[in-house]
mmCIF file of all heavy atoms in Angstrom:
data_model
loop_
_atom_site.group_PDB
_atom_site.id
_atom_site.type_symbol
_atom_site.label_atom_id
_atom_site.label_comp_id
_atom_site.label_asym_id
_atom_site.label_seq_id
_atom_site.Cartn_x
_atom_site.Cartn_y
_atom_site.Cartn_z
ATOM 1 N N ASN A 81 -13.207 6.467 23.066
ATOM 2 C CA ASN A 81 -11.843 6.760 22.875
ATOM 3 C C ASN A 81 -11.061 6.415 24.175
ATOM 4 O O ASN A 81 -11.074 7.133 25.073
ATOM 5 C CB ASN A 81 -11.628 8.313 22.555
ATOM 6 C CG ASN A 81 -10.159 8.673 22.202
ATOM 7 O OD1 ASN A 81 -9.405 7.733 21.998
ATOM 8 N ND2 ASN A 81 -9.937 9.966 22.154
ATOM 9 N N HIS A 82 -10.529 5.262 24.183
ATOM 10 C CA HIS A 82 -9.774 4.697 25.302
ATOM 11 C C HIS A 82 -10.586 4.725 26.539
ATOM 12 O O HIS A 82 -10.082 5.206 27.633
ATOM 13 C CB HIS A 82 -8.422 5.459 25.484
ATOM 14 C CG HIS A 82 -7.542 5.297 24.212
ATOM 15 N ND1 HIS A 82 -6.931 4.256 23.857
ATOM 16 C CD2 HIS A 82 -7.136 6.374 23.365
ATOM 17 C CE1 HIS A 82 -6.200 4.532 22.806
ATOM 18 N NE2 HIS A 82 -6.370 5.753 22.426
ATOM 19 N N GLY A 83 -11.778 4.244 26.511
ATOM 20 C CA GLY A 83 -12.647 4.191 27.636
ATOM 21 C C GLY A 83 -13.436 5.333 27.807
ATOM 22 O O GLY A 83 -14.551 5.403 28.595
ATOM 23 N N GLU A 84 -13.255 6.509 27.201
ATOM 24 C CA GLU A 84 -14.012 7.774 27.331
ATOM 25 C C GLU A 84 -15.125 7.712 26.182
ATOM 26 O O GLU A 84 -14.757 7.647 25.009
ATOM 27 C CB GLU A 84 -13.055 8.867 27.205
ATOM 28 C CG GLU A 84 -13.910 10.275 27.325
ATOM 29 C CD GLU A 84 -13.020 11.415 27.098
ATOM 30 O OE1 GLU A 84 -11.801 11.448 27.570
ATOM 31 O OE2 GLU A 84 -13.459 12.360 26.543
ATOM 32 N N VAL A 85 -16.280 7.599 26.695
ATOM 33 C CA VAL A 85 -17.486 7.593 25.687
ATOM 34 C C VAL A 85 -18.157 8.907 25.541
ATOM 35 O O VAL A 85 -18.523 9.516 26.524
ATOM 36 C CB VAL A 85 -18.489 6.487 26.171
ATOM 37 C CG1 VAL A 85 -19.658 6.342 25.291
ATOM 38 C CG2 VAL A 85 -17.709 5.222 26.330
ATOM 39 N N THR A 86 -18.320 9.342 24.323
ATOM 40 C CA THR A 86 -19.102 10.579 24.049
ATOM 41 C C THR A 86 -20.248 10.327 23.199
ATOM 42 O O THR A 86 -20.151 9.655 22.167
ATOM 43 C CB THR A 86 -18.077 11.566 23.258
ATOM 44 O OG1 THR A 86 -16.877 11.775 24.073
ATOM 45 C CG2 THR A 86 -18.759 12.911 23.174
ATOM 46 N N VAL A 87 -21.270 10.771 23.531
ATOM 47 C CA VAL A 87 -22.630 10.729 22.678
ATOM 48 C C VAL A 87 -22.489 11.573 21.489
ATOM 49 O O VAL A 87 -22.222 12.771 21.597
ATOM 50 C CB VAL A 87 -23.897 10.888 23.519
ATOM 51 C CG1 VAL A 87 -25.159 10.845 22.703
ATOM 52 C CG2 VAL A 87 -23.984 10.027 24.736
ATOM 53 N N ILE A 88 -22.761 10.976 20.294
ATOM 54 C CA ILE A 88 -22.736 11.833 19.069
ATOM 55 C C ILE A 88 -24.098 11.546 18.376
ATOM 56 O O ILE A 88 -24.848 10.689 18.592
ATOM 57 C CB ILE A 88 -21.488 11.386 18.260
ATOM 58 C CG1 ILE A 88 -21.525 9.815 17.900
ATOM 59 C CG2 ILE A 88 -20.209 11.704 18.940
ATOM 60 C CD1 ILE A 88 -20.575 9.405 16.962
ATOM 61 N N SER A 89 -24.160 12.468 17.248
ATOM 62 C CA SER A 89 -25.355 12.436 16.573
ATOM 63 C C SER A 89 -25.222 11.276 15.393
ATOM 64 O O SER A 89 -24.075 10.742 15.303
ATOM 65 C CB SER A 89 -25.630 13.712 15.749
ATOM 66 O OG SER A 89 -24.671 14.000 14.786
ATOM 67 N N LYS A 90 -26.365 10.885 14.824
ATOM 68 C CA LYS A 90 -26.288 9.865 13.742
ATOM 69 C C LYS A 90 -25.371 10.346 12.577
ATOM 70 O O LYS A 90 -24.644 9.584 12.003
ATOM 71 C CB LYS A 90 -27.564 9.539 13.168
ATOM 72 C CG LYS A 90 -27.642 8.470 12.216
ATOM 73 C CD LYS A 90 -29.111 8.053 11.735
ATOM 74 C CE LYS A 90 -28.955 6.923 10.748
ATOM 75 N NZ LYS A 90 -30.207 6.370 10.345
ATOM 76 N N ALA A 91 -25.455 11.599 12.260
ATOM 77 C CA ALA A 91 -24.556 12.137 11.175
ATOM 78 C C ALA A 91 -23.142 12.020 11.489
ATOM 79 O O ALA A 91 -22.233 11.683 10.635
ATOM 80 C CB ALA A 91 -24.931 13.611 10.912
ATOM 81 N N GLN A 92 -22.715 12.351 12.803
ATOM 82 C CA GLN A 92 -21.371 12.268 13.171
ATOM 83 C C GLN A 92 -20.964 10.711 13.203
ATOM 84 O O GLN A 92 -19.807 10.388 12.879
ATOM 85 C CB GLN A 92 -21.254 12.810 14.524
ATOM 86 C CG GLN A 92 -21.247 14.412 14.680
ATOM 87 C CD GLN A 92 -21.284 14.919 16.074
ATOM 88 O OE1 GLN A 92 -21.941 14.215 16.886
ATOM 89 N NE2 GLN A 92 -20.610 15.918 16.335
ATOM 90 N N TYR A 93 -21.958 9.869 13.555
ATOM 91 C CA TYR A 93 -21.629 8.420 13.596
ATOM 92 C C TYR A 93 -21.284 7.942 12.193
ATOM 93 O O TYR A 93 -20.411 7.206 11.905
ATOM 94 C CB TYR A 93 -22.762 7.661 14.131
ATOM 95 C CG TYR A 93 -22.756 6.224 14.021
ATOM 96 C CD1 TYR A 93 -22.036 5.473 15.016
ATOM 97 C CD2 TYR A 93 -23.459 5.658 12.972
ATOM 98 C CE1 TYR A 93 -21.965 4.058 14.710
ATOM 99 C CE2 TYR A 93 -23.528 4.184 12.883
ATOM 100 C CZ TYR A 93 -22.669 3.496 13.691
ATOM 101 O OH TYR A 93 -22.714 2.068 13.469
ATOM 102 N N LEU A 94 -22.067 8.408 11.174
ATOM 103 C CA LEU A 94 -21.970 7.937 9.813
ATOM 104 C C LEU A 94 -20.559 8.500 9.322
ATOM 105 O O LEU A 94 -19.861 7.751 8.567
ATOM 106 C CB LEU A 94 -23.078 8.379 9.042
ATOM 107 C CG LEU A 94 -24.406 7.702 9.323
ATOM 108 C CD1 LEU A 94 -25.472 8.211 8.425
ATOM 109 C CD2 LEU A 94 -24.320 6.116 9.117
ATOM 110 N N THR A 95 -20.254 9.650 9.713
ATOM 111 C CA THR A 95 -18.987 10.276 9.261
ATOM 112 C C THR A 95 -17.839 9.463 9.805
ATOM 113 O O THR A 95 -16.792 9.147 9.073
ATOM 114 C CB THR A 95 -18.896 11.716 9.623
ATOM 115 O OG1 THR A 95 -20.050 12.435 9.000
ATOM 116 C CG2 THR A 95 -17.626 12.415 9.245
ATOM 117 N N LEU A 96 -17.908 9.194 11.045
ATOM 118 C CA LEU A 96 -16.741 8.418 11.717
ATOM 119 C C LEU A 96 -16.564 6.995 11.057
ATOM 120 O O LEU A 96 -15.556 6.539 10.885
ATOM 121 C CB LEU A 96 -16.922 8.377 13.201
ATOM 122 C CG LEU A 96 -16.700 9.595 14.031
ATOM 123 C CD1 LEU A 96 -17.145 9.391 15.543
ATOM 124 C CD2 LEU A 96 -15.282 9.961 13.861
#
Side-chain angles (χ1 to χ4, degrees):
N81 188 10
H82 301 290
E84 182 180 322
V85 178
T86 307
V87 177
I88 57 175
S89 69
K90 183 176 182 178
Q92 290 171 318
Y93 169 80
L94 293 174
T95 301
L96 286 176

